[in-house]
Amino acid sequence: MPKIADFAPSPPELMEGQDYSVFLSYRSVNRPWVIALHDALTNLGHTVFLDQFVLVPGQKLDTSLKTALRRSRAGVLIWSTAAKDSEWVAMEYKRMMERREFDESFNFIVVLLDDTSPPEESEGMIFVNFKEYPDGPNGIELLRLSHAVIGKPFDDQSVNLALQITEDLKQRTLDIQTAVQLGRVEDLKEMAKLKDDVWEYSSQVGCMLAEGMIKLGEHEQAIAYLTDLEAEFPKSLRPKQLMAHALTRMETKEDVGRAIWILQRLRNERHRDPETLGLYGKALYVEYLMSGTSEDTRDGQLLRRSRNLYREGFENSSDDTYCGINAATKTLLLGEPGSKEEAAAIAAEVVKRLPSESDPSLGYWERATVAEAKLIAGHVDDAANAYQHAVDHSRGEHGSHQSTLNSVRDLIAVLDLSSQDQIKLEEPFAHLQINQIEEGPQ
């Protein structure tokens, strides 16, 4: 069966003064989706600049982005409810509109992720609607976008192919989501054995499967699967990030060392997005825990380096919360003068950047972040309730729960809490210990 790549037009060669074929502007809350778009366009032959992603060391972020936009052939604005409220996205939108005014060869496309009204003054713009693709771009709309960024009309043959691909991907995505929600590890393992056309369209479906394995604690299986996925999609970033994530979760010296190597290599390639920096901070923190000391003669203070990476990710992004809450926690763990106050201030800023707790779209990690911020602020009862809500929201994600429990215990170790408070905080994760007891004799 033909693939999307067979019908997507090849991007023209970059002209003098051009470094990128596509410039992507987005808000960090949409980062997982945008990384999937970055990988899809890269695999189609584009040279992609990802906002807050390819930064020039020592140069101001604003200056780097202006330069990158000026040296890009096309601009794509990823538009959503979150983007609508972002001053940064509004600024980049204005710049791309201005670029479009004086350069007719500049293709400017708005990608819609939800039902939020398009930006003002958008008459005559090209819109590509991905509302039916919440897990990443694919199918007919990805083909439409691949044509739009080079200013080429979308032909009927491409439409017919994309419609079939769209339906196949939709069904496979639902299968993966359902298996993860129900904690059906065996179903994911069976899907991993499939080698049909759906898996060959892009790395997106494979990444969803691997991430589901990690969430359910199947790290070895995820590593084996990602090894094949990386070989098939060598230009994709997300499989590399997930590989480092799974290796870190293995918590062995060799595996964590491999994760650090992967992440440092990505950093050397100028990937300084919050996702990469956050994963790197996590890997260094696990290495610190395994070393049994805050000192490491080769790399300096691992805990401090971990905190600094999280803080860099938080500062590089106007709304990243994962790096923010970890920067707060690691600051508290450092135990330096004023660290409690600094950690509480960072945690408070993180909460401001999160949607309302009552928002039904909040995922597990966002809910766990709210809980951790409350714990850092000293509100034990509220934190325990928030942790329980997070677990209830995603009952099957035992791998995610275990990672959160580890963080809770790290904080308990440095906070002056009663034994009763400690029991309250660990109670939402009691199912993890029960599972360990049940699996022990097997």
Side-chain angles (χ1 to χ4, degrees):
M1 181 177 179
K3 304 177 187 178
I4 284 181
D6 297 331
F7 288 86
S10 300
E13 290 187 13
L14 295 173
M15 300 173 64
E16 185 177 352
Q18 294 180 336
D19 293 329
Y20 306 99
S21 51
V22 184
F23 177 103
L24 300 181
S25 175
Y26 73 109
R27 193 166 185 189
S28 292
V29 70
N30 301 129
R31 186 172 62 248
W33 194 96
V34 178
I35 288 176
L37 175 59
H38 167 277
D39 286 352
L41 290 174
T42 299
N43 286 320
L44 292 176
H46 290 275
T47 305
V48 183
F49 180 95
L50 190 57
D51 182 7
Q52 302 169 5
F53 195 76
V54 184
L55 305 180
V56 178
Q59 196 175 81
K60 289 184 178 179
L61 179 62
D62 185 43
T63 303
S64 295
L65 295 176
K66 281 182 182 177
T67 302
L69 179 57
R70 187 175 65 249
R71 301 180 72 85
S72 297
R73 189 171 52 220
V76 176
L77 178 75
I78 290 84
W79 190 252
S80 65
T81 299
K84 182 180 179 182
D85 299 328
S86 169
E87 293 181 7
W88 191 272
V89 172
M91 177 183 66
E92 291 188 345
Y93 170 68
K94 180 181 177 181
R95 286 180 182 159
M96 284 193 270
M97 288 291 285
E98 291 171 351
R99 169 77 189 276
R100 180 169 168 259
E101 288 295 319
F102 70 78
D103 183 359
E104 292 184 357
S105 67
F106 180 73
N107 297 309
F108 182 20
I109 303 97
V110 176
V111 161
L112 304 176
L113 294 189
D114 53 35
D115 291 320
T116 305
S117 299
E120 296 178 3
E121 302 175 359
S122 57
E123 186 176 350
M125 293 287 300
I126 298 174
F127 293 95
V128 182
N129 192 333
F130 282 100
K131 288 187 286 188
E132 299 299 319
Y133 301 82
D135 299 293
N138 226 309
I140 190 168
E141 297 304 325
L142 177 57
L143 271 182
R144 195 186 306 280
L145 179 61
S146 72
H147 284 72
V149 293
I150 66 169
K152 184 176 180 179
F154 195 28
D155 60 87
D156 292 340
Q157 190 178 17
S158 297
V159 170
N160 293 332
L161 165 71
L163 287 172
Q164 181 58 51
I165 292 174
T166 298
E167 185 57 34
D168 291 345
L169 287 170
K170 220 178 255 187
Q171 296 306 316
R172 197 55 53 83
T173 298
L174 283 171
D175 288 343
I176 295 171
Q177 288 175 338
T178 302
V180 173
Q181 289 165 353
L182 297 178
R184 301 280 290 269
V185 172
E186 292 306 316
D187 287 349
L188 290 181
K189 289 180 178 178
E190 286 301 312
M191 290 181 210
K193 297 175 184 177
L194 295 174
K195 296 294 180 183
D196 58 10
D197 293 322
V198 175
W199 301 95
E200 298 179 1
Y201 297 145
S202 77
S203 64
Q204 177 194 329
V205 179
C207 285
M208 285 180 57
L209 178 68
E211 192 166 9
M213 291 176 177
I214 295 170
K215 287 179 178 179
L216 300 185
E218 292 293 317
H219 306 132
E220 289 187 26
Q221 186 79 17
I223 290 167
Y225 184 73
L226 285 164
T227 300
D228 292 338
L229 195 65
E230 281 191 77
E232 189 169 351
F233 297 97
K235 294 182 180 179
S236 291
L237 171 69
R238 190 57 180 159
K240 296 178 178 67
Q241 291 178 329
L242 289 172
M243 176 65 83
H245 185 27
L247 287 167
T248 299
R249 287 279 185 92
M250 292 292 289
E251 297 187 356
T252 70
K253 186 175 181 179
E254 181 181 356
D255 289 322
V256 174
R258 283 179 61 199
I260 289 172
W261 191 92
I262 292 169
L263 295 163
Q264 181 60 48
R265 193 174 190 280
L266 289 177
R267 203 163 184 239
N268 290 343
E269 293 174 350
R270 294 169 59 192
H271 295 307
R272 292 177 174 84
D273 60 293
E275 185 78 7
T276 299
L277 294 176
L279 289 169
Y280 200 171
K282 173 67 173 179
L284 287 177
Y285 182 63
V286 172
E287 186 179 30
Y288 155 73
L289 292 176
M290 292 190 299
S291 72
T293 173
S294 62
E295 296 290 339
D296 182 276
T297 55
R298 182 183 46 130
D299 290 322
Q301 294 182 324
L302 291 170
L303 178 56
R304 185 180 302 281
R305 289 181 64 215
S306 171
R307 190 279 306 273
N308 290 347
L309 282 165
Y310 282 125
R311 190 161 61 184
E312 181 184 347
F314 190 48
E315 291 172 351
N316 280 356
S317 168
S318 61
D319 57 5
D320 185 80
T321 55
Y322 171 78
C323 281
I325 197 62
N326 278 285
T329 297
K330 303 312 180 274
T331 296
L332 190 60
L333 296 179
L334 277 169
E336 299 173 334
S339 61
K340 262 188 185 177
E341 292 76 11
E342 183 183 353
I346 297 172
E349 182 61 30
V350 168
V351 172
K352 286 181 187 176
R353 301 183 188 189
L354 282 167
S356 166
E357 287 183 64
S358 60
D359 189 335
S361 69
L362 281 179
Y364 173 78
W365 285 111
E366 290 167 315
R367 294 172 188 273
T369 294
V370 170
E372 194 160 327
K374 290 180 176 182
L375 179 53
I376 291 171
H379 306 306
V380 174
D381 288 344
D382 289 342
N385 289 333
Y387 280 125
Q388 188 65 64
H389 290 154
V391 170
D392 289 343
H393 179 267
S394 306
R395 294 297 306 181
E397 294 187 22
H398 291 176
S400 301
H401 301 165
Q402 185 62 57
S403 181
T404 303
L405 177 59
N406 293 342
S407 294
V408 170
R409 287 172 172 167
D410 290 342
L411 286 170
I412 287 174
V414 296
L415 294 171
D416 186 18
L417 300 178
S418 67
S419 57
Q420 187 176 1
D421 283 342
Q422 294 179 33
I423 291 170
K424 284 181 188 176
L425 291 167
E426 292 200 15
E427 191 172 352
F429 307 98
H431 61 288
L432 297 176
Q433 297 171 35
I434 292 171
N435 288 340
Q436 289 169 4
I437 292 170
E438 290 177 348
E439 295 169 4
Q442 297 178 0

